[in-house]
Amino acid sequence: MEVTVARNVLEVNERLAGENRELFEKHGVFVINLMSSPGAGKTSLLERTIEALKDDLAIGVIEGDIQSARDAERIARKGVRAVQINTAGACHLDGSMIRDAVGSFDLDALDLLVVENVGNLVCPAEFNVGERHKVMILSTTEGDDKPMKYPLMFQLSTVLLVNKIDLLPYIDCDVEKIKSEARQLNPKQTIYEVSCKTGEGLDQWFGWLKEQVGKPV
Amino acid sequence: MHEMSIAQNILDIVREEMARHQVEKIEAINVVVGKLSAIVPSSLTFCYQVLTDHTDLAETALNVRVLPIGYACFDCGLRFESDEMVFTCPDCGADTPMITSGRDMVIENIVVADDS
């Protein structure tokens, strides 16, 4: 005899992520979940963003790594509060980890909270943490065949930053191919070509952030 | 991915349901997963066996059914399914039909022995 269950296997994380999201919206904090492969430039992007916007926006950062507080230290050196989560093995952040970290912030004093996820192009996309938008980085050195190989992250990210464009003269990377495949997976995705090293293209990203932070939910 | 933590989530939910329905023994658990959830059924059932070995659920089968990806065309409204990523509507040729389903992971039911 079959007894109906009809329950979502990931219901616990979805509930926690939903509660986090309500909390952020109640306190007027705009939250993004920043994802990429290791070394694509998440922390560098955040350093550049803080340098450019910290006089306009109150920013907080939750750092996720398997081990080490290096990223939180880099962010703290820019004068912004950063809380480091060490997952000790888990390859992505989830709703419960973010819920535990949020207690370290005065949410009423924040405009923008960035969750810098563990470097991984697969798993973080599967776990909502309560963010309003997912933002991802693909760097030119990773190759232009990646969108079709890792479709979910591209499908779910509102913004794609193609980073390290300063290295294009030295590598084989067709940025137009990245953009056209990403758009096949996600026609509404906003794509910016940037270099965190030279600063090229970053103004568009700063503009998008400022515009989003100001928007009502 | 994460078949081990997903198997654990399934077990937690199933034990809750068993307590709720006051059932002590079940024969099978039926789960459906969408193709885009990237679950490998053999990996999931293996992890489930590892977790239930030497427990009261050791003889219970975990059946995993994979559902195709559901699509709807923005232009002509056609609804269709495919096991593959589809970027062109098979009817009108419009670009990138919307994905309507494919990431679900749902425990459909548990199978209780008829005499229990």
Side-chain angles (χ1 to χ4, degrees), chain A residues 63-169:
Chain A
E63 283 289 346
D65 282 293
I66 294 181
Q67 284 284 27
S68 144
R70 282 180 178 165
D71 285 354
E73 286 160 10
R74 280 171 68 179
I75 300 299
R77 281 198 283 275
K78 294 291 171 187
V80 152
R81 181 164 183 71
V83 168
Q84 180 80 55
I85 298 175
N86 283 139
T87 70
C91 47
H92 59 273
L93 296 177
D94 65 25
S96 73
M97 297 174 194
I98 298 311
R99 188 195 50 182
D100 292 341
V102 155
S104 302
F105 293 95
D106 175 4
L107 293 180
D108 286 321
L110 277 187
D111 298 312
L112 168 66
L113 178 65
V114 181
V115 175
E116 184 187 328
N117 219 308
V118 178
N120 179 339
L121 215 43
V122 183
C123 316
E126 301 180 33
F127 296 89
N128 290 325
V129 300
E131 72 275 22
R132 183 109 54 92
H133 290 292
K134 289 178 167 57
V135 173
M136 69 168 293
I137 304 174
L138 182 76
S139 63
T140 55
T141 48
E142 292 169 73
D144 51 37
D145 59 344
K146 295 303 176 289
M148 289 303 166
K149 290 170 75 171
Y150 299 90
L152 189 62
M153 192 171 286
F154 287 85
Q155 284 166 332
L156 298 183
S157 296
T158 310
V159 178
L160 163 64
L161 292 137
V162 180
N163 189 26
K164 306 192 187 179
I165 56 173
D166 54 297
L167 293 179
L168 284 172

Side-chain angles (χ1 to χ4, degrees), chain A residues 186-213:
Chain A
N186 187 347
K188 296 195 191 142
Q189 190 173 62
T190 300
I191 303 178
Y192 298 130
E193 296 168 55
V194 303
S195 164
C196 290
K197 180 129 176 99
T198 65
E200 189 182 346
L202 287 176
D203 282 338
Q204 304 165 84
W205 160 245
F206 301 149
W208 182 88
L209 261 185
K210 287 206 290 204
E211 190 200 353
Q212 292 297 319
V213 170

Side-chain angles (χ1 to χ4, degrees), chain A residues 1-11 91-92 122-123 125-127 148 152 155-156 184-185 187, chain B residues 1-2 6 9-10 13 16-17 21 30 37 85 87 96 99 103 105-112 114:
Chain A
M1 179 181 78
E2 289 177 354
V3 173
T4 302
V5 169
R7 284 171 69 172
N8 176 358
V9 174
L10 291 183
E11 62 182 24
C91 47
H92 59 273
V122 183
C123 316
E126 301 180 33
F127 296 89
M148 289 303 166
L152 189 62
Q155 284 166 332
L156 298 183
Q184 280 198 308
L185 290 165
Chain B
M1 260 236 65
H2 305 109
I6 285 162
N9 284 358
I10 291 172
I13 292 173
E16 251 183 51
E17 291 290 322
H21 293 280
N30 289 314
S37 67
M85 299 287 295
F87 299 106
T96 318
I99 292 175
R103 290 184 59 209
M105 276 190 254
V106 175
I107 302 169
E108 281 186 309
N109 56 58
I110 50 179
V111 181
V112 176
D114 282 330

